[in-house]
Amino acid sequence: MSTPPLRKDAAQNRQRIIEVARRYVDEGRLLQLNDVARTASIGVATVYRHFPTPEALLETVALPAVEALVRRAEHALAGDDAWTALRDFLAAAIEVLLTDPALPPVFAAATDALEHTGDLKRGLASAFAELLARAHTAGVIDPGVTEADMIPLLCGIAYAANIQSALAPAERAALGLRYLDLLLTGLHRT
């Protein structure tokens, strides 16, 4: 069942709410719906009508980056070289985790506020599992390395790059990619 399109004014209000929330997230501010309403000059009830929880708003803010990462995973899956596909997907994941502050809390959440977010996250997990399995089958990665190993390692890379808070997001992403390269060099089998 699809939802009917929003009236023009409702669509504009929704977009304004998302823009303000995006700014809050980028500035590292706490995403409180009442504060977003005030900053957006929109009634609190209107904000709650569009986004019943801060988590739903955060997931909406993160949605373009999550969808872009899904597209990167699909592109990687279409590639013939198992090592390149895995490496490129992991690099895209690290880069987006380090440049979009909306993503880490969305990926770390135990539950999803929006069904679509859960669908996307499950799709990413499935793509990652397939990429890792292909790398194992091709013999290009240590066969003992599992998904359960890789997730904390990737989180560790993101953490290590993020503690360099004086760096701009793009610089932290470059550092994260360097750390990822070091990790993958250790896991790669030729």
Side-chain angles (χ1 to χ4, degrees), residues 24-127:
Y24 271 41
V25 169
D26 290 344
E27 293 170 355
R29 294 173 64 182
L30 188 59
L31 201 56
Q32 298 286 338
L33 297 182
N34 290 1
D35 294 342
V36 170
R38 190 174 16 268
T39 302
S41 300
I42 294 173
V44 172
T46 300
V47 173
Y48 278 89
R49 197 168 26 259
H50 287 284
F51 304 101
T53 65
E55 293 79 14
L57 180 53
L58 179 64
E59 288 177 21
T60 301
V61 168
L63 187 61
V66 176
E67 289 174 336
L69 190 54
V70 168
R71 287 189 298 276
R72 293 291 298 266
E74 291 167 350
H75 178 74
L77 287 168
D80 292 331
D81 184 302
W83 176 253
T84 300
L86 178 64
R87 185 198 63 215
D88 291 353
F89 171 71
L90 292 176
I94 287 293
E95 187 171 16
V96 75
L97 283 170
L98 291 170
T99 57
D100 189 337
L103 287 182
V106 167
F107 283 138
T111 59
D112 302 307
L114 305 175
E115 185 177 336
H116 186 56
T117 303
D119 292 342
L120 291 171
K121 287 168 62 175
R122 283 185 293 280
L124 280 171
S126 176

Side-chain angles (χ1 to χ4, degrees), residues 84 125 149 160 163:
T84 300
D149 297 324
I163 62 172

